[in-house]
Amino acid sequence: WFCSHWWGEPVQDFIRCVEAHLHLRRLPGAMDEWAYWICAYANRQHCLNAELVEDPEQTSFFKAMQLAIGVLLILDKNATPFSRIWCAY
C-alpha cells in the first residue's frame, strides 16, 4: 500500500490510521506481513531537485504507486492532504 499523508500529523495518528486500515480491510496476518510505502520515503530527500521533472510518470512517487496494491490516503481533522497536489495525484 502506498500511504499518502500530510507530514504535519503526529506520527502516532499516522500509525493508528495504518492499523485501522489493516483491520478494516481484514488483511490476513499481522501488520508486519504487509508492505506500506510511506510517500515521504518514495523520493530522495537529499536530492529533491532530481524529482522535479515535467512528466509525473517519471517521479519516484508514481513508480512507487505502480508497485503498490493501492493508495491509502491518511487524513487529518482538516483533510489537509486535499490541499496538496502530490497527495491528490
Side-chain angles (χ1 to χ4, degrees):
W1 291 90
F2 182 88
C3 300
S4 188
H5 69 107
W6 175 57
W7 290 21
E9 87 261 352
V11 173
Q12 289 299 330
D13 289 352
F14 176 87
I15 292 169
R16 279 191 289 273
C17 287
V18 172
E19 290 172 337
H21 175 261
L22 182 72
H23 176 73
L24 291 170
R25 286 283 186 160
R26 292 184 172 84
L27 299 176
M31 186 175 177
D32 61 352
E33 294 177 9
W34 287 92
Y36 285 88
W37 189 290
I38 301 169
C39 65
Y41 303 115
N43 59 29
R44 296 167 286 216
Q45 295 297 318
H46 58 279
C47 188
L48 289 176
N49 285 339
E51 299 297 326
L52 302 175
V53 296
E54 284 192 33
D55 182 0
E57 292 185 6
Q58 297 305 311
T59 64
S60 54
F61 269 39
F62 181 83
K63 293 173 184 175
M65 284 189 282
Q66 293 300 305
L67 296 172
I69 294 170
V71 175
L72 172 59
L73 177 60
I74 297 177
L75 299 175
D76 63 328
K77 65 181 179 179
N78 297 319
T80 304
F82 290 122
S83 68
R84 309 281 201 249
I85 189 66
W86 60 88
C87 293
Y89 175 72

